[in-house]
Amino acid sequence: MNTEPTLAKEGGTTGHPGENQPADANGLKAGLKNRHLSMIAIGGVIGAGLFVGSGSGIAAAGPAILLSYALVGAMVVFVMRMLGEMAAARPTSGSFSAYADQALGRWAGFTIGWLYWFFWVVVLAVEATAGAKILEGWIPAVPQWGWALIVMVVLTATNLASVSSYGEFEFWFAGIKVVAIGAFVVVGLLAVFGVLPGSDNPGAGFAHLTDTGGFFPMGAGAILTGVLMVVFSFMGSEIVTLAAGESEDPQKAVTKATNSVIWRIGVFYLGSIFVVLTLLPWNDKSIVDKGSYVAALDSIGIPHAGQVMNVIVLTAVLSCLNSGLYTASRMAFSLGQRGDAPKAFARTNARGVPTAAILASVAFGFVAVFFNYKWPDTVFAFLLNSSGAVALFVWLVICVTQLRMRGIILRESPEKLIVRMWLFPYLTWATIAMITFVLGYMVYDGGSNREQVVLSLLVAALVLAIGLVKDRVRKAKGQTELVDTV
């Protein structure tokens, strides 16, 4: 049995990476089971930001924050539908980066692939620090940096072991999040209607949605402010399309994930925030001081609500870390496979694991963690802000790519178009307009939002320039080789 690392052939066995081929055709192994993919799809849209950041959004917009979540949720549903259309037809570990490569040009795949990788390695530092703070509170004998190191090392080892190890960890992490939010929604609704035995909540029904300044206490414009505050908590829904490339039946996995995204966002985001807003008046100080979910659990009378929520938040943090490392490494693998990153990134070991891609991703994550401890307000703040708008850039590129890929798929393999974007191309253009508007409003809004867009654009421009130069060099080299051959 060959135990030497293998170098994946660029583009796999066909002209399109990952198209209708087993996962190990390009070095990766089909180690993810259907239950893994199902839970990754469900848990992928539940980030720690939902638990931690929702209180600020409620304080800024009041009950109207529900419309902010609904608007962003609709945008994510449309983007996922477009991505699902492409991923079902051509499943690959490079996902939207590989599709941009095919539809828009090598420069596009290069740019969005590296920006996405950059986004996730910065997220590794953010989540490792958040998890370390919770763990230090429980066991203060271990310093915060020690916990961050332990968490990063354990999850790196998990990803290095095999893709099935990642899938198994994520299955349980996501499962805890799903069960926790599901229970919160059910118990909360019972308390809202005053039928929960032993509840401390008065059971006011839906009265809290309008009894404190109406549904729009801060004005209708606060909906847009809320959009800016909640949009980044949705990042991660696209992970399942990358993971599908290492499953036994990618088309089935992608189709199922795409079709279920509506109810996932409806239950986990809109449902849970709706429960918070009906249990408490939107301006209750405890929502910001304790966090929206802890405040809601306290109003019901759940004992030790803070510690219960800390366990759930830690699970969400570990899930995000686990998936972030997986996602960054698979994007690095795909870039290496296409010649847009060091060739070592495209090598897999006997277990089908891209070791170099994982280690390079986690190495940058460790450096970012160090920056967070050493220079949190300067160097790390720059990293954070310069990756802040990448999520919106990714969604925008997915939309533009789908406009071109629909024609390519219809021309080359129409039978593979099993998932279709609704009302094409009108809804695609409408989504592009929505995302562009959000980016524009971030600039108009000023402050940290403007800084995020400007710095993210500067980093994107730098990566794009490198991609264009690399593309020109590649074409010039190809022409030279052709002349020499003649």
Side-chain angles (χ1 to χ4, degrees):
M1 182 176 179
N2 180 26
T3 58
E4 292 294 316
T6 58
L7 177 63
K9 295 180 180 179
E10 187 174 339
T13 56
T14 72
H16 307 291
E19 180 185 349
N20 256 11
Q21 48 182 301
D24 62 350
N26 53 18
L28 299 175
K29 301 292 183 183
L32 293 176
K33 300 176 182 177
N34 286 335
R35 66 182 178 88
H36 293 154
L37 265 294
S38 296
M39 201 55 76
I40 289 169
I42 295 171
V45 293
I46 310 171
L50 174 62
F51 301 105
V52 178
S54 55
S56 299
I58 291 171
I65 195 69
L66 283 170
L67 296 181
S68 303
Y69 273 102
L71 282 172
V72 179
M75 193 163 66
V76 172
V77 166
F78 297 153
V79 170
M80 278 299 295
R81 187 74 185 182
M82 287 180 250
L83 184 54
E85 176 180 296
M86 297 182 287
R90 294 179 174 176
T92 171
S93 61
S95 189
F96 51 84
S97 173
Y99 307 140
D101 193 312
Q102 297 169 32
L104 306 177
R106 296 294 298 271
W107 59 270
F110 176 94
T111 303
I112 205 62
W114 276 114
L115 285 176
Y116 193 67
W117 179 87
F118 176 56
F119 171 86
W120 278 111
V121 292
V122 172
V123 166
L124 291 180
V126 176
E127 300 296 340
T129 303
K133 286 180 180 177
I134 295 174
L135 290 166
E136 187 189 27
W138 293 343
I139 308 176
V142 179
Q144 194 179 122
W145 66 265
W147 280 119
L149 181 64
I150 291 169
V151 166
M152 291 278 276
V153 168
V154 169
L155 292 180
T156 300
T158 299
N159 275 266
L160 285 172
S162 66
V163 68
S164 60
S165 297
Y166 154 73
E168 199 63 33
F169 266 72
E170 191 56 26
F171 175 81
W172 290 106
F173 286 153
I176 292 171
K177 290 189 293 185
V178 169
V179 170
I181 294 184
F184 174 80
V185 171
V186 172
V187 171
L189 286 175
L190 291 175
V192 165
F193 292 106
V195 294
L196 182 67
S199 173
D200 296 338
N201 193 277
F206 300 145
H208 287 322
L209 293 176
T210 56
D211 65 4
T212 312
F215 192 75
F216 300 97
M218 312 299 286
I223 296 173
L224 295 177
T225 303
V227 164
L228 302 188
M229 300 183 79
V230 306
V231 66
F232 301 109
S233 64
F234 282 85
M235 191 63 173
S237 52
E238 69 289 333
I239 290 175
V240 68
T241 63
L242 281 86
E246 292 177 81
S247 67
E248 296 174 353
D249 192 347
Q251 285 188 337
K252 181 180 178 181
V254 169
T255 303
K256 186 176 180 181
T258 303
N259 290 336
S260 65
V261 71
I262 297 175
W263 72 259
R264 286 187 276 132
I265 288 175
V267 171
F268 298 127
Y269 279 85
L270 288 172
S272 61
I273 298 299
F274 176 81
V275 167
V276 171
L277 288 166
T278 48
L279 284 173
L280 291 165
W282 69 271
N283 59 353
D284 191 304
K285 290 183 179 180
S286 64
I287 291 178
V288 174
D289 294 341
K290 297 179 180 179
S292 56
Y293 290 83
V294 173
L297 290 174
D298 276 342
S299 77
I300 296 172
I302 301 293
H304 310 294
Q307 288 303 320
V308 170
M309 193 50 60
N310 271 339
V311 172
I312 297 169
V313 171
L314 179 62
T315 303
V317 164
L318 294 177
S319 172
C320 193
L321 264 172
N322 195 38
S323 289
L325 181 53
Y326 171 83
T327 305
S329 65
R330 284 344 185 244
M331 186 56 74
F333 169 84
S334 178
L335 288 165
Q337 189 185 24
R338 287 176 273 142
D340 289 334
K343 289 184 178 180
F345 287 6
R347 291 193 178 95
T348 58
N349 60 21
R351 298 184 302 277
V353 175
T355 306
I358 291 174
L359 292 177
S361 300
V362 80
F364 193 98
F366 275 123
V367 171
V369 169
F370 173 74
F371 287 156
N372 196 9
Y373 289 121
K374 190 71 175 175
W375 302 289
D377 299 323
T378 53
V379 180
F380 187 72
F382 171 80
L383 289 177
L384 200 59
N385 285 324
S386 60
S387 64
V390 167
L392 291 167
F393 294 168
V394 167
W395 294 345
L396 194 59
V397 168
I398 289 172
C399 295
V400 176
T401 300
Q402 191 260 342
L403 285 172
R404 297 287 302 274
M405 278 297 290
R406 168 67 75 90
I408 294 173
I409 295 170
L410 283 174
R411 186 167 60 251
E412 296 181 0
S413 48
E415 73 282 357
K416 293 173 184 173
L417 198 63
I418 56 177
V419 176
R420 288 175 178 261
M421 175 58 184
W422 309 296
L423 299 176
F424 178 83
Y426 308 108
L427 203 48
T428 300
W429 280 111
T431 309
I432 291 172
M434 289 169 64
I435 298 170
T436 304
F437 175 80
V438 171
L439 284 167
Y441 191 75
M442 287 178 72
V443 175
Y444 170 79
D445 190 56
S448 61
N449 287 320
R450 179 181 296 167
E451 187 177 5
Q452 284 187 22
V453 174
V454 172
L455 288 178
S456 296
L457 281 173
L458 286 174
V459 172
L462 176 63
V463 177
L464 174 60
I466 295 172
L468 289 171
V469 170
K470 188 176 177 67
D471 205 25
R472 290 190 66 177
V473 169
R474 185 187 292 115
K475 289 178 180 177
K477 185 178 179 181
Q479 291 174 351
T480 302
E481 291 175 349
L482 181 63
V483 170
D484 290 342
T485 304
V486 174

